[in-house]
Each structure stands twice: as C-alpha cells, then as structure tokens.
Amino acid sequence: MPWQPNKLEAERLEKLRELEARGVAAYPARVRRTHSAAQAIAAFEAAEAQPEPPTVEVTVCGRIRRVNIKGKLAFMHIEDESGRVQLFLRINDLGEDTYALIADKLVDTDDFVQATGEMMRTRAGEVSVLTREFVLLAKSLSPLPVIKQSVLDDGTVVEYGEFNDKETRYRQRYADLAVNRSVRDTFVKRSRITTACRRFLDDIGFLEVETPVLQPIYGGAAARPFTTHHNELDQQLFLRVSFELYLKRLLVGGYDGVYEIGRDFRNEGVSFKHNPEFTQLEFYKAYIDYRGVMEITERMVAYAAEYATGSTLIDYHGQQIELKPPWRRVTMRDIVKEHSGIDYMDYPTAELLEGEIRRRGMQVKPGLPWGKLIEHLFSDYAEPKLIAPTIVHDYPRDISPFAKRVVGDDLHVERFEFYIGGMELGNAFTELNDPLDQEQRFLDMAQTFRAGDDDETPLDEDYLRAMRYGMPPNGGFGMGLDRLAMVLLDQPSIRDVLLFPHMRDLK
RNA sequence: GGGCCCAUGGCGCAAUGGUAGCGCAGCUGACUUUUAAUCAGUUGGUUGUAGGUUCGAAUCCUACUGGGCUCACCA
C-alpha cells in the first residue's frame, strides 16, 4: 500500500519543498560530531570547575525533542543515545537565513540536526550550546507522538502525555524506542544480560559455537517445529526447536565445554511468555553432572543480574527476590508433596496417579503418562509459589529422554529445572551418554507419540552414531534468555523484552 | 483454539440512543535567556470493517479484523 500522508505529514512534505526552494539539503551526506550530548555537558562542567574556565567548543548531533521559539531567540533540546542537551539559538549568531529555517518552522521536532558552538550556561542555569552553526541532518516526515518532560529539583523526570498503545508500540518498535526512554533502557539491559552470560561462560573455559538452524531432523525438546524446504536440494527442513543434539555431538568431537546463544523456533501457542521464536542459551560441559550444572547456573544468573541491573536483589512484580547463590534445592517429589499434599510415590503408575488427581477434582487429559501427570501437579500447585530462585531436581524418567537415571531409582532422572518469580527459566540434566539406553528412550518416546501424546520426538540415527563413538559424561543446560530478561527487568510480557515481537498480519 | 475486555483526529482521552468534544501536537500571529515557555487566534474525525435494529447509532445487535488479559499446549 503506498504511503497516504496524513495532514501533519502533508505539512512536513510542504516544508521539505520549501527547504529545497531555499537550497537547504534535507538529507546531507556529510556529518560531523565531536561530542555526544552527555560528553558536551560533562566537558563544560569540568571546564567550569577550573579557576580560569577555558572555552569548550563542541559539535553535537541529535534528534530535536523540544522547540521553543521566542522571536529572534530560540531554544531546542536535542537528544542522542547519551541524553539531551539544549541548543541556544540566536539570530545574531546564526545569521538571518539559517535562523529563518527555525523561525519559519521549516525545522520540526523529530528532525535530526547538528549544532556547533561554545558551551555556555543560560540565565536559568541550563548548560547549552551557544550555537553558531546549525545544520539539518535529516528531515522527519512523520511526527512521533509527543511526550513533554519536566525535570524536578531532585532530578526526577516527569512525563506529560504518553505513547502507550501496545499494538502500535510493538508493530512500530522504532517509534516506541524513539519516544519512550524507558523502553530504550530495557533493551540496553537485555543486551547486557546476554553479554554477561557470554562473558561468564567464556571466563570459565567454554567455547561459543554455532550449529544449524535448518535441520533435516529436529529434536532435543518436546515441541512442534516449523517446516521449510530447500528448493535446489529438494529437501524438507525444520527450524530447530533446540540446540541439544548438535551441541552434544561436539563433546563427542573432543570439546570439553560448548555453548550457543541463538534462536529456537516452536510452532505453538503465543502468550505472555511464549513467542514463536525465542532466544535460548544452552551449554554442555564434559566431566560434570547436574550438581555441577546447578552451581554454574546459580553463579551465571546472579552474575547477569548484577551486570545488567547493578544488583543481585531484583524487584519482580512488586516482590524482592535475592538471586545470590546458593538457591533452594528441592526434589520434584518433595516440592509436589509440599504444595499439593500428594506423595506421588504412593501412586507409582499412571492409572493410580490419574485416579488420585481426579479424586481431588483436578481436570486432566485422560491417558497421560505418569511423568506428565506429575508435571501437571507441579505446575498447578507448586510452580506459581516458587518466587525465590528454586532448583527443582530429580524428574520423572518417562518425560526426560536425554537425562541419566538417578542411581538406585528407576523412576527418576538427574534433571532439574529452575524457577524464579513463579516462572520456569531453564532446564538441565546429567546428560545421557549411553547409546543403547538413548536408542531405547527414542523408541519409547515414539511409542508414547503413537499412543496419542502429540509432541513427537523423531529418532535421530546420526546422533546415536555419534554417541556410539563415545561421549564423555557431561552436564547440559538450557535457558530462555527472554524469560530471564523478563524476570531481571521486571517486564510483564515476553513482548516487552523482544524488540520485534511476533504479530499477526494486518489484512 | 476457548472465555472476557478493548478499538473515537498524529498521541492521550471524553461524549450513559438525540448537534462527535477536550488536552497535547499542528497551523497563523506576538516575544533576544526559555524549559510541560507564555499569550491571542485556528485547521483537522465516513467513531477498526461490513451488515442490522431504530425517526435517529460512537453508543444497541450480528459477523469479521486487530490488540490486551486469561485458560489450554509449551521454554
């Protein structure tokens, strides 16, 4: 659909024509910046503190956020990533032609400009650029939503007006970012969370790797995939649902510790904590078991919190949560018993457990495997209560095809998930490295699938071959980085930590 | 996919079946230290789309589209 300028846009187009008529380039190629807004102010304040303050000459660039024309004098605030700085613009300093661009309002809020001059302080005390040269860098044709700000004496910024329509903000994130400072901050912090995890793992000897996104056989998680097709090879491909099987092949290859941070794709429901593509962090480390993974997990999450927010004490949905290790560790059996009153070991088959669940009035799909029933009990009764960071370990074997059995316990495997703020953030195991056991698990899962559980886990022969060459014992870990960001940054929806969340087509 | 709620100028909102208004932004004018600048004047709407009820619909009904919350599946 071609652009249909609205009234405000038509006015700006008219200004664009007038600029052209006056020989002013609206989108010049040359630009020069000596200081960011924050640097310009800092440099002036440093100079000011000296006994004989030197002059501070700057060229700053940014987007105009406020214009106040007072006859032959004008003020502007321009904003770059570092913050805002005021321009002090007088007809005497700029000359009539340049000043006319401002006085005739050919330059608007939202335009990008460049200003050169000496730093000074206005009568009201605001550090400003006494602008001598004023250059339009980029004309804005569509006005952004207007939010006025006032700064109180204590430095708090009060905003008047808002741009708060969630749909428009998600669909036009660029506008959301341009207008809402706090949104910009959120994504800076999210980036720092990723950096922190990467740095933490690098520092303890992990190797960052990249594995295929397009996979002929998907696996590693119980999830429905997106399918695609390679035309030239005439090959059906799946977008990965996890990295697990490729990363563990690398341990066979001889690396002791590998991790990947990247996108997983799951063709399932969308909700406040599910997006069709999401960022996953997985690592696998040889010669440790899930106890070792627990330790890494606690330290990594605490490190990320500290690095991104400055503290391991976070505020999530009004609750204070301390992330400093050690975290509570509790078995699945104990946590389910604690919150539901059911000791599922008293009901060691699916039939018995389903009967007990129904007796207590819970709705549950008939014919679920034992482990799935336990998961339901857990997520209904226990999960929402796990606000403080909690490691829940020793999962039912029949829902965990890649984890080793707990020694002397046929029904449980060495697996844990960890919960913060009542939300699952990650999943980890002592990884299965017995190729024959693994093959049997694949076959069992296929059986379950045929029995009606619709999360297919296809048999990956190549993965089994890799394992037959010998895989070192290892601990593995997967975590949704988006969810970690939600918790650390106190955001209510995964869409608030995704720059471009998935949205339905507009028809 | 089910349930509930929402959709009105660029943005934020009003109008309880009877003339679609307000603030900000915009536009015109005044103003050489303002800062949510101020003062005077002023433009802009087929009320998400398509039907229906009614003398009359932003308002009531139906369907559709998009969004939010929630339940189910999942990380």
Side-chain angles (χ1 to χ4, degrees):
Chain A
M1 191 172 65
W3 180 39
Q4 301 284 340
N6 64 32
K7 176 129 193 282
L8 299 179
E9 291 169 332
E11 282 168 5
R12 290 200 174 184
L13 278 173
E14 189 47 50
K15 294 178 181 190
L16 191 63
R17 278 190 281 274
E18 178 59 24
L19 285 165
E20 198 177 331
R22 296 191 192 188
V24 176
Y27 304 97
R30 292 290 159 263
V31 57
R32 183 173 68 91
R33 178 166 83 159
T34 64
H35 294 68
S36 70
Q39 285 168 343
I41 291 169
F44 178 74
E45 284 175 343
E48 216 180 19
Q50 294 176 38
E52 283 177 43
T55 61
V56 176
E57 175 85 9
V58 302
T59 298
V60 291
C61 299
R63 192 194 280 280
I64 300 175
R65 301 316 303 261
R66 167 181 167 262
V67 180
N68 174 16
I69 302 169
K70 287 176 56 74
K72 297 182 171 61
L73 165 72
F75 300 88
M76 286 182 188
H77 278 125
I78 65 168
E79 183 175 66
D80 63 18
E81 196 186 324
S82 74
R84 295 186 179 199
V85 64
Q86 180 167 262
L87 308 183
F88 183 85
L89 305 138
R90 283 186 304 204
I91 194 165
N92 322 32
D93 306 315
L94 290 173
E96 288 196 7
D97 289 352
T98 301
Y99 191 81
L101 301 179
I102 298 164
D104 296 345
K105 301 219 226 175
L106 299 183
V107 173
D108 290 292
T109 309
D110 308 324
D111 291 351
F112 283 90
V113 297
Q114 169 183 304
T116 302
E118 260 175 45
M119 297 301 292
M120 47 93 71
R121 210 177 261 281
T122 61
R123 197 174 290 164
E126 180 163 350
V127 177
S128 310
V129 182
L130 177 55
T131 307
R132 197 175 60 236
E133 250 181 74
F134 180 81
V135 181
L136 178 62
L137 292 179
K139 184 75 197 153
S140 160
L141 297 180
S142 300
L144 288 164
V146 179
I147 295 184
K148 293 191 171 189
Q149 298 185 338
S150 69
V151 182
L152 303 182
D153 287 343
D154 63 3
T156 357
V157 176
V158 185
E159 295 191 333
Y160 305 85
E162 56 183 340
F163 175 41
N164 205 18
D165 183 80
K166 289 202 169 193
E167 179 171 3
T168 315
R169 287 179 45 218
Y170 295 149
R171 288 189 191 275
Q172 302 185 30
R173 182 68 89 184
Y174 34 88
D176 187 26
L177 290 163
V179 167
N180 293 316
R181 178 77 211 208
S182 64
V183 176
R184 236 150 53 218
D185 291 343
T186 295
F187 286 101
V188 168
K189 286 180 184 155
R190 179 185 163 133
S191 175
R192 289 178 68 83
I193 290 170
T194 311
T195 302
C197 290
R198 184 172 271 131
R199 181 171 297 180
F200 179 86
L201 292 172
D202 287 345
D203 284 352
I204 58 173
F206 276 87
L207 179 72
E208 181 172 12
V209 297
E210 291 170 280
T211 62
V213 172
L214 295 174
Q215 304 180 346
I217 298 177
Y218 65 95
R224 262 168 271 187
F226 287 91
T227 60
T228 186
H229 182 259
H230 190 290
N231 289 342
E232 196 64 25
L233 302 179
D234 189 22
Q235 184 180 20
Q236 183 178 36
L237 292 166
F238 301 95
L239 273 63
R240 64 180 173 192
V241 298
S242 87
F243 324 150
E244 169 146 3
L245 300 183
Y246 280 96
L247 290 178
K248 283 200 281 189
R249 282 172 170 94
L250 296 175
L251 298 187
V252 171
Y255 298 111
D256 281 354
V258 293
Y259 75 93
E260 179 165 3
I261 294 172
R263 216 65 64 83
D264 270 347
F265 307 85
R266 298 194 182 173
N267 207 339
E268 287 164 353
V270 175
S271 80
F272 77 96
K273 53 179 176 175
H274 297 92
N275 195 64
E277 52 181 299
F278 62 99
T279 300
Q280 180 90 284
L281 184 163
E282 287 189 26
F283 72 71
Y284 295 84
K285 187 165 176 58
Y287 316 122
I288 65 171
D289 61 26
Y290 74 154
R291 302 262 157 202
V293 177
M294 289 178 195
E295 201 179 300
I296 293 174
T297 304
E298 293 172 336
R299 287 168 53 211
M300 179 169 69
V301 169
Y303 180 79
E306 175 94 48
Y307 188 80
T309 72
S311 169
T312 56
L313 185 64
I314 58 163
D315 198 297
Y316 182 64
H317 293 9
Q319 300 173 94
Q320 301 285 101
I321 303 177
E322 178 55 74
L323 298 174
K324 206 177 289 172
W327 298 349
R328 183 183 180 201
R329 297 182 187 187
V330 59
T331 62
M332 176 60 94
R333 182 182 174 187
D334 287 346
I335 198 78
V336 167
K337 191 157 59 177
E338 179 179 324
H339 291 283
S340 74
I342 299 179
D343 183 349
Y344 62 70
M345 292 305 285
D346 291 344
Y347 310 91
T349 67
E351 292 70 30
L352 289 170
L353 189 55
E354 187 180 326
E356 176 61 15
I357 288 172
R358 288 188 188 285
R359 203 180 61 74
R360 288 166 180 255
M362 268 178 73
Q363 300 291 325
V364 66
K365 248 195 303 189
L368 287 180
W370 190 65
K372 281 270 184 192
L373 292 168
I374 292 169
E375 260 189 341
H376 272 100
L377 278 177
F378 171 76
S379 56
D380 279 17
Y381 288 103
E383 181 173 355
K385 309 271 179 53
L386 302 182
I387 305 302
T390 305
I391 288 172
V392 179
H393 60 92
D394 295 2
Y395 272 61
R397 171 174 168 258
D398 57 342
I399 51 168
S400 311
F402 301 109
K404 268 189 188 169
R405 290 158 214 257
V406 173
V407 177
D409 177 352
D410 255 7
L411 292 174
H412 291 94
V413 293
E414 294 196 352
R415 170 183 180 185
F416 75 86
E417 295 192 338
F418 69 102
Y419 292 80
I420 303 174
M423 184 161 64
E424 183 201 336
L425 292 187
N427 188 9
F429 326 119
T430 302
E431 301 288 338
L432 191 63
N433 63 341
D434 174 342
L436 302 179
D437 190 353
Q438 181 69 74
E439 182 168 27
Q440 192 54 48
R441 304 271 191 107
F442 275 137
L443 294 173
D444 289 350
M445 289 302 283
Q447 194 70 41
T448 313
F449 171 64
R450 276 192 294 275
D453 184 351
D454 54 12
D455 293 329
E456 186 177 8
T457 304
L459 187 86
D460 190 333
E461 282 293 355
D462 181 73
Y463 176 66
L464 290 171
R465 173 170 57 199
M467 206 180 262
R468 285 195 294 269
Y469 281 118
M471 179 184 288
N474 68 92
F477 170 90
M479 172 174 72
L481 271 179
D482 313 283
R483 289 194 179 175
L484 180 64
M486 285 170 69
V487 169
L488 296 188
L489 306 179
D490 195 17
Q491 295 297 320
S493 165
I494 195 168
R495 294 183 195 92
D496 297 312
V497 297
L498 294 168
L499 280 168
F500 300 100
H502 181 77
M503 300 293 275
R504 221 177 274 264
D505 274 341
L506 287 176
K507 295 204 179 75

